Amino acid sequence: QLQLQESGSGLVKPSQTLSLTCAVSNGSLSSGGYSWNWIRQLPGKGLEWIGYIYHSGSPYYNPSLKSRVTISVDRSKNHFSLKLNSLTAADTGLYFCARGDSSGEFDYWGQGTLVTVSS
Amino acid sequence: DIQMTQSPSSLSASVGDRVTITCQASQDITNYLNWYQQRPGKAPKIVIFDASRLKTGVPSRFSGSGSGSHFTFTITSLQPEDIATYYCQQYDDLPYTFGQGTKLEIK
């Protein structure tokens, strides 16, 4: 069964850059037809889709975050990454990576990683 | 962006009850709607896709219906393990957007 696992900086200072990686195991992110997504859950709020990338390297970002986000893929390491810059306390929350299929369904998720923005 | 409005935001029901959650899209999304279950401390899990199709392995007490801009999610006989927050999600247009969630509790 496909597994996704997030890793990266859990505590980040305001104005700095968040860096997270999602490792894909028991499968290849080069499999055609799937998108590789980042989704976050802010305290007291619901789920917010951040963006996706395909194995070919074509990203799409949520316009609300577009100016601060970069998603990249490393096929040799079978992982994809998220960078979010100019962090504020409002970015504190749980960050998930997830696979998206061709029908927009997020069918496999990582367990989530807590990110805290604090000095 | 397409706004997804869920109601109610929270719901308390007894074991065996029928539970219904609604999701309203700000525009026609045909049937491009999914429902997720998020248990406490866990990642969301897909339950219903394409508005009404049950994901393999999900109990048949779960169902979804609707098209256009109005959708419903139903649990026909609530079980203790159904305690979770449920989210709708549209994939008609980017950016993908979610409803704000419905927190389901046992009375």
Side-chain angles (χ1 to χ4, degrees):
Chain A
Q1 164 145 326
L2 190 75
Q3 292 185 325
L4 287 74
Q5 177 69 58
E6 304 92 347
S7 62
S9 44
L11 178 62
V12 189
K13 289 181 168 53
S15 80
Q16 292 191 342
T17 297
L18 169 68
S19 294
L20 297 177
T21 294
C22 181
V24 178
S25 57
N26 299 331
S28 172
L29 60 74
S30 295
S31 301
Y34 296 109
S35 63
W36 302 94
N37 298 260
W38 287 98
I39 297 162
R40 68 181 185 175
Q41 188 163 34
L42 306 179
K45 298 188 178 181
L47 298 161
E48 179 180 34
W49 178 74
I50 298 170
Y52 68 46
I53 193 166
Y54 282 86
H55 70 90
S56 60
S58 304
Y60 185 96
Y61 305 131
N62 191 323
S64 68
L65 296 168
K66 185 176 181 179
S67 64
R68 300 196 290 134
V69 173
T70 302
I71 298 175
S72 58
V73 62
D74 188 329
R75 288 182 293 277
S76 67
K77 294 182 179 178
N78 213 35
H79 74 209
F80 62 108
S81 300
L82 168 71
K83 290 188 185 300
L84 181 66
N85 60 34
S86 303
L87 290 175
T88 71
D91 294 308
T92 292
L94 195 56
Y95 286 69
F96 294 98
C97 58
R99 189 182 81 167
D101 74 0
S102 57
S103 66
E105 167 194 336
F106 303 118
D107 55 0
Y108 289 94
W109 295 66
Q111 65 187 25
T113 189
L114 182 62
V115 171
T116 302
V117 181
S118 174
S119 55
Chain B
D1 298 4
I2 297 175
Q3 305 301 315
M4 306 301 292
T5 303
Q6 268 182 254
S7 62
S9 56
S10 64
L11 178 57
S12 182
S14 300
V15 172
D17 281 355
R18 180 186 183 91
V19 170
T20 299
I21 299 168
T22 64
C23 182
Q24 182 87 24
S26 59
Q27 64 188 64
D28 189 335
I29 58 170
T30 319
N31 68 329
Y32 298 144
L33 183 100
N34 300 320
W35 289 97
Y36 296 84
Q37 174 193 68
Q38 186 178 28
R39 294 190 172 113
K42 300 292 187 181
K45 167 191 165 186
I46 183 86
V47 178
I48 299 286
F49 64 103
D50 293 349
S52 61
R53 299 175 66 184
L54 193 66
K55 190 69 178 175
T56 301
V58 173
S60 59
R61 63 180 179 274
F62 293 93
S63 65
S65 65
S67 66
S69 63
H70 187 77
F71 302 87
T72 60
F73 174 83
T74 300
I75 307 172
T76 53
S77 179
L78 185 66
Q79 299 301 304
E81 60 266 30
D82 301 335
I83 296 313
T85 300
Y86 292 86
Y87 295 93
C88 59
Q89 174 240 332
Q90 67 80 22
Y91 58 95
D92 178 67
D93 196 15
L94 293 170
Y96 300 131
T97 49
F98 294 85
Q100 77 274 24
T102 296
K103 187 175 183 179
L104 182 54
E105 298 174 330
I106 295 286
K107 193 179 293 182

